[in-house]
Amino acid sequence: MSILKVENLKAYYIATLYGIKRSVRAVDNVSLDIEENEIFGIAGESGCGKSTLLKVIVGLIKPPLSLIGGMVLYNSGKDYISPFLLSLEEFNKIRWSFISYIPQGSMNVLNPTRKINRTFWDVIKTHGSEEEKKNLKTITEEHIKALGLPLEVLNSYPHQLSGGMRQRVTMALATILKPKIIVADEPTTALDVVVQRGVLQLLERIQEIYQNTLIIVTHDMAVHANIAHRIAIMYAGKIVEVGKTRDIFKNPKHPYTKYLINSLPKIGDKSIRESAPGAPPSLLNPPSGCRFHPRCPKVMDICKLEVPKLAEIDSGHSVACFLFTKEVEEV
Amino acid sequence: MKNNNKLLVVSDLTKVFIIGGRFLGVKLVAVNRESFDMEEEKPEIFTIAGESGCGKTTLARMILGIIEPTSGKIFYKGKDITKIQSKEDRLDFMREVQPIFQNPFETFNPLKRVESYLIETAINFGAVKNRSEAFDRIEEVLQLVGLSIKEVEKRYPHELSGGQLQRVSIARALITNPSLLVADEPVSMVDASIKMSVVNLFKDLKEKYGVSVIYITHDLATAYYISDRIAIMYRGNIVELGPVEKVMLNPLHPYTKLLIEAVPEPDPDLKWKEEIKLSAMEAKEFAKLGCKFSERCLEAKERCHEITPEKIFVDDRWVMCHKYK
Amino acid sequence: MFVILKDLFKYDKRFAFGFSVILILLFLSILSFFSPYNPVLWSLVPKNLPPSLKHILGTNSMGQDIFWNITHAIKNSILLGSLTAVISITIGTFVGLVAGYRGGSVDRALMSINDSFIVLPSLPILILLSTMLKERLTIAVIAVILSLFSWPWGGRQVRAIVLSLREREFTYTAFFSGMGTLKTVLKEHLPFVIPWVMANFINTILWAIGMETTLAIFGLSSLETPTIGTTIYWANQYQALLRGIWWWILTPVIIAVFLFLSLYLLSVSISEFLDPRTRLQRMRMEEVST
Ligand SMILES: Nc1ncnc2c1ncn2[C@@H]1O[C@H](COP(=O)(O)OP(=O)(O)OP(=O)(O)O)[C@@H](O)[C@H]1O
Ligand SMILES: Nc1ncnc2c1ncn2[C@@H]1O[C@H](COP(=O)(O)OP(=O)(O)OP(=O)(O)O)[C@@H](O)[C@H]1O
Ligand code: SF4
Ligand code: SF4
Ligand SMILES: [Mg+2]
Ligand SMILES: [Mg+2]
């Protein structure tokens, strides 16, 4: 059963500066279906719109970002709700307890003047149920214990903790009210491999304990290989391929995905790796047709004119490329 | 130490930072009496790897002469570069040793055209006599990195992609025909699709033009891919140093083992299995007596907490661990 | 330069307003050279006449034409402000650049001088100085005195900017491109400092005119020289408002308000326009739109 549906979502950054109006088409016609109890990875190069997509999914749309079209729906068990249609009050109610968002670079969000346990209590007090508010101390301690973090972190100030521990504390904080969906943006970027591994371990553990859905964004394919069940590949504001992790790694279809997978170096293997020629396009005026066409070795005439539609070519494996589908995206 | 036929000799190099004021500050030994050397005849890519804050950048900056060592010596082709005073000697040194920086968007002033740095470099080091010769030389080095002057001319940094900028940065460094490039995390800020093209370029430079590279990174997969030797640093010390195949495929130091083990494989068939242990508060470790890794080491014995291990040569590489004594 | 001004004028209303007002005021101050009356002489025209065709802003109790008198006042005030700004910005920028780039003991020495000026209470000392110098005060002397108190702020700011620039990677690139200290500071760092210098230039003018006006209202300026401040001083001395000669006091007050407002708007919009961050953003926008 899908717990989150994204339908034809379009979100642009619109800015006017000295008379020139421009829109950055950061999320352009994206559709996704995310299942309950899965780890869903979103991969793609820097600036392709990953963070923007997450922001829209959790309903954080503030200027210059604006919603152009499409819908995001959460399955609350009883019915579908959309973050776009909720009042601020209703929205605050489901944040943290139904969907929880860990933004990019979030380890610096902990309040430096408050001890960690205070920060946890604050969240429970503002977002928790009556029952949870009564037991806030025990809930916090049990949560930290369940996640395998040392209890003494609760009694520390953020600056006393290492970067990796701070990052893990933020994750513990985001999951304190046992949300059904956890959305994490680059949770391991800028961390060392050892610490990164610790953080990912924790995410997997959280998912295992609470059986919730985890949406994780990173450009590091090796991270996806290790924890994601399914992966979506994003290129220049669009999803170009979605499939099971194994299919994406062992049987990539889209020419861009192929480059992405085949250029990854491995320890113990010194054979030559080639990467895609050229550079990612600007989203201010993306290329016509298939946005990968200026860099694609298999480009055909139709690619420059029409936009290929994301279409299922195998069970659970969809690609947006005219090598595999004839379907054209409506503009 | 004999300096003949050595490109670079780093000997007993130490850098101590005082954090928080002259009198009340605490000492932080960012690089602790480290030594290594590189051959002049045999160009190589020498990787320095290790987690954030272990002293990689500090080491690189001392080699480049940007910061002064607290003690110890650095010889470049037999000359002690920590003693350079005159402007001429400094220029002579920079002609030979050039840096590549981490963030390609920061390497060039955002308000200036990138070619201005290429022209400055060509003229200031006397590589060319006039501007038109400078452009010939610039075209030459740009071709080396797979660009042409047309793509770069009259452009501001924001008009080029990260990969292009990193190539221009390398091209600039090559203008003076240096023998050594010091690249501090040159690919950590660029995209996957650009990363391999930059890394491949280093490989080419070494193989075709005999340029040695000190490659600083915490990306161990690319380190394995391009380097000949690797030094693993932990809290200011090189704990293991040797040929990359030896150190990475058969690590001896417990920290190296942990590091290699933690690298995620880009392959869903090779997922991690066991869990690992992390330190909660790392600031203390710099000041630790004995082996700095002993708090986290699963193989630590009593002496590890008291006596600093010596470096021992085992199986083709140097290891700093009591286990192998 | 011209294109920039045109762009700013077109797209930034604050700039358009400020710039137009300043132009008008500059025009008025130029008119002073064609003034039929000597501003320091009294009883040239009948006293206390309300605005009329002959004397469009009326006359005052000293027998001066207010319109022609205010053109001199505007000229002198702007002159005083600009002079102060030139002196103090030159010193401040130079000290800041050197202290920031050289660092170490040079920095410490320069900054301790700098800080001693900052901690001096400016208003009391100004009052003291002008009381002492009363007879010898001229526009130039006042400008020098005011500069003494305004350069250190600029010095500190420039130093802070250069200090942060010194640690940026491109400074190292310049170093390894063989560029010397002076070249690096002038070519790499000055472009970042200039926008601030320009905004601060206008701010200093604003501050200096304000300071002189304050001093003048208390009678502590060069009272023979017409400035906006001294005009208000004389109008007060003759109790212009109480006696219903409103045109005498209102003219300098309105001029002062417009002058301050327009200088303020100019400084805000210019510093925003020249801020390297928005400048970059704009460069990117222009690139795609052409
Ligand atoms: N506030 C903004 N105003 C205008 N454009 C923006 C803004 N924020 C982001 N963008 C642009 O939108 C595009 C998508 O940005 P986004 O942050 O979603 O990318 P990302 O895939 O998360 O990249 P990264 O891997 O670097 O985090 C980029 O081209 C970026 O330049
Ligand atoms: N100028 C300085 N003053 C005080 N401490 C410093 C200074 N520069 C570096 N340090 C400290 O020295 C230690 C080593 O820093 P260094 O930058 O060499 O690490 P690194 O290995 O390059 O790390 P990273 O991977 O994060 O770049 C760190 O703990 C750092 O905080
Ligand atoms: S649609 Fe055409 S250009 Fe795009 S990836 Fe497929 S083959 Fe290449
Ligand atoms: S010296 Fe001891 S503590 Fe240090 S790495 Fe070796 S075994 Fe571990
Ligand atoms: Mg992002
Ligand atoms: Mg570093």
Side-chain angles (χ1 to χ4, degrees):
Chain A
M1 188 183 69
S2 70
I3 187 149
L4 181 91
K5 266 184 192 298
V6 175
E7 285 164 4
N8 305 326
L9 198 64
K10 280 189 187 183
Y12 299 172
Y13 291 97
I14 296 180
T16 315
L17 198 62
Y18 293 100
I20 307 161
K21 189 173 171 180
R22 284 282 126 196
S23 51
V24 177
R25 293 145 82 176
V27 173
D28 212 356
N29 224 349
V30 166
S31 298
L32 285 174
D33 242 322
I34 294 170
E35 301 295 314
E36 205 171 359
N37 197 6
E38 77 170 335
I39 302 184
F40 188 83
I42 301 177
E45 284 167 293
S46 167
C48 72
K50 306 181 298 291
S51 297
T52 313
L53 176 59
L54 287 198
K55 277 184 221 157
V56 180
I57 285 180
V58 297
L60 291 174
I61 305 169
K62 314 190 267 255
L65 182 61
S66 59
L67 182 69
I68 304 298
M71 200 28 108
V72 171
L73 294 169
Y74 307 151
N75 184 348
S76 72
K78 298 185 286 284
D79 50 358
Y80 281 99
I81 47 177
S82 167
F84 307 154
L85 306 174
L86 294 177
S87 68
L88 193 64
E89 201 177 306
E90 291 167 314
F91 182 61
N92 275 337
K93 221 180 254 166
I94 61 163
R95 259 202 88 184
W96 299 86
S97 58
F98 181 79
I99 186 163
S100 191
Y101 170 54
I102 307 169
Q104 200 163 359
S106 59
M107 63 178 165
N108 302 320
V109 302
L110 296 171
N111 185 340
T113 62
R114 275 176 105 69
K115 280 191 178 165
I116 302 288
N117 50 11
R118 292 260 157 207
T119 309
F120 274 84
W121 298 345
D122 290 347
V123 169
I124 300 175
K125 277 185 217 155
T126 40
H127 299 276
S129 64
E130 289 310 314
E131 182 65 28
E132 284 164 331
K133 279 180 206 167
K134 249 183 266 156
N135 304 315
L136 50 87
K137 274 188 196 166
T138 40
I139 287 181
T140 307
E141 277 175 23
E142 271 166 20
H143 185 61
I144 291 288
K145 250 190 262 166
L147 300 187
L149 301 180
L151 271 181
E152 66 258 25
V153 299
L154 284 177
N155 234 334
S156 321
Y157 287 98
H159 69 88
Q160 294 172 313
L161 304 176
S162 65
M165 188 53 83
R166 267 203 303 265
Q167 181 69 302
R168 282 179 291 165
V169 167
T170 347
M171 277 166 200
L173 184 65
T175 50
I176 181 77
L177 297 175
K178 310 190 177 42
K180 298 294 287 176
I181 309 174
I182 305 161
V183 179
D185 194 357
E186 307 268 11
T188 60
T189 312
L191 298 178
D192 293 303
V193 278
V194 180
V195 182
Q196 168 180 332
R197 179 160 169 196
V199 169
L200 292 174
Q201 240 167 237
L202 179 74
L203 276 174
E204 271 188 308
R205 188 165 186 155
I206 291 172
Q207 203 267 339
E208 229 167 77
I209 298 176
Y210 300 124
Q211 297 285 305
N212 43 20
T213 302
L214 177 61
I215 304 175
I216 178 171
V217 156
T218 168
H219 61 262
D220 188 343
M221 291 305 289
V223 167
H224 287 303
N226 270 276
I227 88 164
H229 302 150
R230 283 198 305 142
I231 302 178
I233 308 286
M234 206 168 169
Y235 184 81
K238 289 180 163 300
I239 303 276
V240 295
E241 187 160 359
V242 185
K244 293 194 198 78
T245 302
R246 167 171 296 278
D247 289 340
I248 295 283
F249 276 89
K250 302 290 173 183
N251 191 15
K253 296 287 186 209
H254 196 281
Y256 174 68
T257 317
K258 278 193 181 147
Y259 269 123
L260 207 57
I261 301 294
N262 294 333
S263 70
L264 298 169
K266 282 182 194 154
I267 293 175
D269 178 0
K270 281 206 166 188
S271 62
I272 298 291
R273 306 277 152 170
E274 294 294 344
S275 49
S282 154
L283 294 177
L284 275 166
N285 50 348
S288 63
C290 168
R291 291 185 177 179
F292 190 58
H293 89 250
R295 303 170 73 188
C296 182
K298 302 224 167 109
V299 58
M300 301 166 287
D301 289 340
I302 183 177
C303 308
K304 296 172 191 164
L305 303 170
E306 302 286 353
V307 183
K309 189 175 175 181
L310 190 66
E312 189 159 9
I313 54 162
D314 247 335
S315 84
H317 194 166
S318 308
V319 185
C321 168
F322 288 124
L323 294 172
F324 305 96
T325 170
K326 292 278 166 291
E327 284 184 66
V328 171
E329 195 172 273
E330 311 284 322
V331 188
Chain B
M1 196 177 284
K2 270 265 176 290
N3 297 336
N4 301 339
N5 306 324
K6 296 283 185 200
L7 182 68
L8 183 77
V9 176
V10 170
S11 144
D12 245 1
L13 201 61
T14 300
K15 179 73 196 181
V16 180
F17 288 114
I18 312 270
I19 300 175
R22 240 157 219 259
F23 301 107
L24 295 169
V26 278
K27 277 192 191 171
L28 188 147
V29 187
V31 175
N32 187 11
R33 305 195 57 187
E34 269 315 325
S35 307
F36 69 90
D37 53 48
M38 293 170 83
E39 300 289 332
E40 187 168 352
E41 295 305 317
K42 214 174 83 222
E44 66 166 335
I45 297 181
F46 181 72
T47 294
I48 303 174
E51 62 191 43
S52 175
C54 69
K56 306 184 292 293
T57 299
T58 308
L59 185 56
R61 291 190 163 197
M62 286 193 283
I63 294 171
L64 285 168
I66 299 175
I67 56 175
E68 236 173 281
T70 310
S71 67
K73 291 194 165 55
I74 305 166
F75 296 94
Y76 179 79
K77 291 193 175 165
K79 237 177 141 177
D80 187 348
I81 59 161
T82 56
K83 294 225 164 68
I84 291 181
Q85 292 290 340
S86 75
K87 207 178 157 196
E88 280 69 43
D89 286 352
R90 170 69 48 202
L91 282 177
D92 278 342
F93 171 69
M94 292 197 296
R95 197 172 284 134
E96 291 274 326
V97 181
Q98 281 281 339
I100 311 291
F101 296 112
Q102 177 170 13
N103 185 346
F105 293 98
E106 270 283 305
T107 301
F108 303 103
N109 189 331
L111 304 176
K112 286 184 70 185
R113 297 188 168 130
V114 289
E115 80 222 25
S116 72
Y117 295 93
L118 297 170
I119 298 169
E120 287 282 351
T121 309
I123 289 175
N124 292 337
F125 289 101
V128 295
K129 285 194 217 64
N130 51 41
R131 272 179 93 89
S132 82
E133 266 186 45
F135 276 99
D136 293 342
R137 178 69 188 137
I138 290 168
E139 179 70 45
E140 237 170 76
V141 289
L142 284 174
Q143 299 243 313
L144 273 186
V145 301
L147 289 169
S148 73
I149 205 149
K150 276 196 214 69
E151 292 170 82
V152 173
E153 217 173 11
K154 302 215 167 59
R155 301 268 192 132
Y156 287 94
H158 72 266
E159 296 173 281
L160 296 169
S161 72
Q164 283 176 316
L165 283 174
Q166 202 57 302
R167 283 155 182 277
V168 175
S169 169
I170 296 171
R172 189 206 60 78
L174 292 175
I175 288 178
T176 60
N177 261 325
S179 311
L180 178 64
L181 296 182
V182 179
D184 191 354
E185 316 226 17
V187 293
S188 70
M189 312 273 288
V190 301
D191 275 319
S193 74
I194 291 158
K195 188 152 96 182
M196 292 318 289
S197 70
V198 172
V199 163
N200 280 330
L201 184 58
F202 284 131
K203 220 174 169 169
D204 266 13
L205 289 175
K206 181 198 89 178
E207 279 159 14
K208 297 201 190 122
Y209 305 96
V211 181
S212 286
V213 182
I214 294 182
Y215 175 62
I216 293 173
T217 189
H218 47 232
D219 181 347
L220 289 166
T222 57
Y224 182 86
Y225 178 68
I226 61 164
S227 48
D228 302 287
R229 286 192 303 152
I230 187 168
I232 307 288
M233 277 187 90
Y234 186 76
R235 305 275 181 262
N237 279 113
I238 295 178
V239 295
E240 187 161 358
L241 188 161
V244 69
E245 281 86 1
K246 287 279 180 192
V247 174
M248 293 187 72
L249 300 183
N250 179 24
L252 292 184
H253 194 280
Y255 175 66
T256 317
K257 282 184 195 163
L258 174 71
L259 200 62
I260 306 278
E261 164 66 16
V263 176
E265 285 280 345
D267 186 339
D269 291 346
L270 301 171
K271 288 193 191 182
W272 293 312
K273 279 158 211 98
E274 348 116 42
E275 300 225 331
I276 53 158
K277 194 173 170 226
L278 288 175
S279 62
M281 306 186 193
E282 53 204 17
K284 286 189 246 160
E285 290 187 8
F286 269 106
K288 232 190 111 41
L289 286 176
C291 173
K292 299 208 165 58
F293 189 55
S294 52
E295 293 293 324
R296 290 163 74 188
C297 183
L298 299 174
E299 300 168 68
K301 301 266 170 4
E302 212 166 290
R303 63 182 169 171
C304 300
H305 294 286
E306 288 146 20
I307 310 162
T308 309
E310 281 166 27
K311 293 199 174 156
I312 310 153
F313 195 72
V314 211
D315 187 23
D316 279 350
R317 91 281 308 264
W318 291 95
V319 189
M320 189 178 172
C321 171
H322 285 309
K323 239 174 88 183
Y324 300 95
K325 188 97 186 236
Chain C
M1 189 67 191
F2 182 70
V3 180
I4 294 177
L5 284 183
K6 206 182 83 191
D7 265 16
L8 264 173
F9 199 84
K10 201 158 148 201
Y11 299 120
D12 195 332
K13 292 205 182 58
R14 294 168 306 180
F15 182 85
F17 176 81
F19 195 66
S20 318
V21 173
I22 288 292
L23 277 186
I24 295 171
L25 292 175
L26 281 177
F27 174 75
L28 286 177
S29 63
I30 289 170
L31 272 189
S32 70
F33 292 104
F34 305 99
S35 161
Y37 311 108
N38 185 335
V40 294
L41 299 182
W42 293 19
S43 306
L44 298 169
V45 289
K47 292 180 183 170
N48 302 338
L49 294 178
S52 66
L53 275 181
K54 189 142 184 272
H55 304 286
I56 41 175
L57 292 175
T59 64
N60 63 23
S61 307
M62 288 131 72
Q64 295 171 316
D65 179 289
I66 290 179
F67 173 77
W68 290 108
N69 213 45
I70 204 76
T71 60
H72 286 283
I74 295 169
K75 179 191 72 187
N76 287 330
S77 280
I78 290 180
L79 193 70
L80 172 99
S82 316
L83 204 59
T84 311
V86 168
I87 300 172
S88 84
I89 295 291
T90 311
I91 302 175
T93 308
F94 182 74
V95 169
L97 283 176
V98 172
Y101 193 76
R102 293 296 294 277
S105 52
V106 178
D107 181 27
R108 275 195 294 280
L110 287 175
M111 280 306 114
S112 49
I113 301 176
N114 192 88
D115 290 348
S116 8
F117 275 96
I118 285 187
V119 294
L120 289 179
S122 56
L123 196 61
I125 294 183
L126 282 174
I127 291 176
L128 195 71
L129 272 178
S130 15
T131 324
M132 275 161 49
L133 291 172
K134 212 152 184 194
E135 301 308 313
R136 271 159 291 168
L137 280 178
T138 60
I139 293 287
V141 172
I142 298 174
V144 170
I145 295 175
L146 288 178
S147 309
L148 225 54
F149 290 97
S150 61
W151 75 267
W153 301 97
R156 267 229 161 266
Q157 242 165 327
V158 172
R159 172 179 171 273
I161 299 171
V162 173
L163 268 185
S164 73
L165 290 174
R166 205 176 57 165
E167 292 302 316
R168 300 266 296 263
E169 275 178 5
F170 63 75
T171 304
Y172 291 118
T173 309
F175 180 64
F176 278 90
S177 301
M179 291 165 70
T181 307
L182 195 65
K183 214 171 184 181
T184 309
V185 169
L186 292 183
K187 285 193 149 180
E188 304 286 321
H189 297 167
L190 202 58
F192 285 88
V193 175
I194 278 178
W196 178 82
V197 167
M198 289 185 62
N200 205 42
F201 189 85
I202 297 176
N203 280 335
T204 310
I205 297 180
L206 186 67
W207 177 82
I209 297 178
M211 225 25 170
E212 193 271 341
T213 309
T214 315
L215 289 173
I217 288 172
F218 294 115
L220 295 169
S221 182
S222 167
L223 295 174
E224 277 86 76
T225 319
T227 64
I228 293 173
T230 54
T231 313
I232 298 176
Y233 171 79
W234 287 117
N236 263 336
Q237 281 292 306
Y238 284 84
Q239 302 190 314
L241 210 54
L242 282 179
R243 294 162 56 213
I245 318 169
W246 50 265
W247 52 93
W248 189 5
I249 183 99
L250 219 54
T251 307
V253 168
I254 289 175
I255 295 275
V257 168
F258 272 96
L259 182 63
F260 290 156
L261 188 66
S262 60
L263 283 174
Y264 172 74
L265 291 177
L266 273 189
S267 124
V268 171
S269 69
I270 288 183
S271 61
E272 208 169 272
F273 182 83
L274 291 176
D275 179 337
R277 271 163 308 176
T278 53
R279 210 178 340 167
L280 274 179
Q281 214 178 338
R282 205 173 46 244
M283 277 155 82
R284 274 184 210 129
M285 296 281 224
E286 276 160 12
E287 175 201 344
V288 289
S289 66
T290 46

